[in-house]
């Protein structure tokens, strides 16, 4: 079979997580309202999902709304919720046809009933797909997730001595997901803003100045190539270092 251009990567991150930031500044730079930036951001997510399937990424987790984003003016919060509903309405059939499985992480109880229903619907329809697992972090916070996990463990009466890292991991919203190999944050901000605190302990991080609506397939390709140059040690030594056995 003819090799496609996409197959050039030596090392592909199995799981990419993205903090999709910079929609507001993207709109401001174009003298557009903030909502236009959020809409452009949602359209871009569509393109990046396809790019991930083309490149062979198996898990994509995107930060769409944090537990702290409720602090924004009601207009913006409501506008964002409408965009999520529209996105699901429009995209679920296409995502399903593409073999994408939709998941959600975060607390669902604060979301409006329409959005909860659309999310549940998308999750159910796409449950059997395995080309790409797309996890939407909506009303997600890493600290909230850890608090929730501890509450669940206590409720189950697990004795203190029996709690280890696996116990915590199994009570996080991400229970079925591997840890992200690569976390990307767009728009030049250099912080986690409460995203995947536990899971990203040994992730590779990539920060780019590009605003989310402009982060395209080429940007993703560059990020994957950059990832390929990283040496992941997880606190140990690389195979190469072991082979060299240089202990001087
Ligand atoms: C990211 O864009 C989207 C959300 C946080 C919902 P922002 O709205 O944070 O855009 P900037 O950071 O103000 O440019
Ligand atoms: C992080 O972006 C949350 C999302 C992208 C959904 P923010 O724009 O909310 O982060 P801060 O406030 O600049 O840290
Ligand atoms: Mg922001």
């Amino acid at each position: 079979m003819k090799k496609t251009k996409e197959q050039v990567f030596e090392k592909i991150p199995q799981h990419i997580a993205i903090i999709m930031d910079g929609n507001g500044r993207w709109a401001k730079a174009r003298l557009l309202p903030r909502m236009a930036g959020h809409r452009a951001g949602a359209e871009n997510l569509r393109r990046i999902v396809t790019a991930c399937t083309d490149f062979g990424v198996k898990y994509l987790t995107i930060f769409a709304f944090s537990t702290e984003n409720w602090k924004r003016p009601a207009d913006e919060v409501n506008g964002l919720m409408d965009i999520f509903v529209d996105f699901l309405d429009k995209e679920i059939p296409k995502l399903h046809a593409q073999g994408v499985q939709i998941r959600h992480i975060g607390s669902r109880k604060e979301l409006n009933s329409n959005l909860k229903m659309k999310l549940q619907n998308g999750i159910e329809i796409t449950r059997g797909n395995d080309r790409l697992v797309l996890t939407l972090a909506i009303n997600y916070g890493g600290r909230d997730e850890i608090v929730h996990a501890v509450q669940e463990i206590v409720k189950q009466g697990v004795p203190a001595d029996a709690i280890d890292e696996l116990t915590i991991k199994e009570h996080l919203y991400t229970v079925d997901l591997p840890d992200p190999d690569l976390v990307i944050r767009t728009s030049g901000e250099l912080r986690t803003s409460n995203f995947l605190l536990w899971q990203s302990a040994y992730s590779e991080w990539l920060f780019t100045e590009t605003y989310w609506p402009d982060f395209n397939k080429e940007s993703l390709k560059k990020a994957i190539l950059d990832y390929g140059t990283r040496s992941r040690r997880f606190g140990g030594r690389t195979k190469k270092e072991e082979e060299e056995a240089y202990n001087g």
Side-chain angles (χ1 to χ4, degrees):
M1 202 169 71
K2 192 168 156 268
K3 262 199 163 190
T4 64
K5 210 170 127 211
E6 271 84 21
Q7 287 169 305
V8 295
F9 303 114
E10 273 178 32
K11 221 167 78 181
I12 294 261
Q14 178 188 207
H15 182 178
I16 297 182
I18 306 182
I19 303 175
M20 312 185 294
D21 200 8
N23 294 348
R25 281 163 283 166
W26 180 91
K28 193 172 178 201
R30 286 163 180 74
L31 305 175
L32 293 169
R34 282 185 76 83
M35 287 326 294
H38 291 315
R39 277 193 294 273
E43 280 161 25
N44 194 45
L45 175 58
R46 183 2 82 217
R47 294 190 285 270
I48 291 300
V49 167
T50 299
C52 282
T53 59
D54 290 349
F55 290 151
V57 173
K58 297 308 285 181
Y59 295 86
L60 172 66
T61 300
I62 55 98
F63 204 6
F65 193 89
S66 76
T67 46
E68 289 72 38
N69 287 146
W70 297 106
K71 292 179 194 164
R72 297 191 182 199
D75 276 3
E76 184 173 0
V77 169
N78 294 335
L80 281 164
M81 297 300 150
D82 289 347
I83 286 176
F84 301 150
V85 168
D86 287 351
F87 178 86
L88 291 166
D89 264 344
K90 215 170 84 199
E91 301 299 340
I92 287 171
K94 291 186 224 162
L95 292 168
H96 186 40
Q98 260 180 310
V100 176
Q101 183 187 135
I102 300 171
R103 293 198 190 182
H104 170 256
I105 53 170
S107 170
R108 261 186 247 181
K109 56 179 186 286
E110 294 83 0
L111 304 179
N112 68 52
S113 53
N114 193 22
L115 179 53
K116 268 194 272 211
M117 202 181 70
K118 303 277 163 173
L119 270 174
Q120 195 52 37
N121 180 40
I123 292 166
E124 271 163 27
I125 291 176
T126 63
R127 198 178 287 281
N129 296 338
D130 64 359
R131 185 156 181 217
L132 171 75
V133 174
L134 169 65
T135 302
L136 310 172
I138 301 178
N139 195 23
Y140 171 87
R143 289 179 174 181
D144 171 71
E145 179 182 40
I146 293 169
V147 169
H148 177 260
V150 172
Q151 285 174 345
E152 291 298 312
I153 293 165
V154 172
K155 273 188 214 161
Q156 288 164 14
V158 182
D161 290 351
I163 298 173
D164 57 14
E165 291 191 9
L166 190 63
T167 321
I168 307 276
K169 181 189 151 64
E170 284 176 346
H171 289 83
L172 298 174
Y173 296 129
T174 51
V175 52
D176 298 323
L177 300 177
D179 287 342
D181 299 295
L182 174 65
V183 185
I184 299 170
R185 183 167 188 154
T186 57
S187 89
E189 305 300 345
L190 307 177
R191 54 180 170 268
T192 71
S193 299
N194 207 7
F195 190 44
L196 300 177
L197 297 182
W198 176 280
Q199 301 85 341
S200 66
Y202 270 103
S203 301
E204 296 300 321
W205 284 78
L206 185 128
F207 296 97
T208 167
E209 294 287 325
T210 308
Y211 295 143
W212 169 248
D214 289 332
F215 186 88
N216 58 20
K217 187 172 184 178
E218 195 53 34
S219 322
L220 183 69
K221 183 177 173 181
K222 278 197 198 128
I224 295 174
L225 287 170
D226 188 321
Y227 171 83
T229 67
R230 310 278 182 100
S231 165
R232 301 184 78 185
R233 299 190 191 83
F234 301 95
R237 300 201 305 200
T238 61
K239 235 193 192 143
K240 190 160 170 268
E241 282 168 337
E242 290 294 343
E243 278 160 16
E244 284 167 4
Y246 174 70
N247 292 308

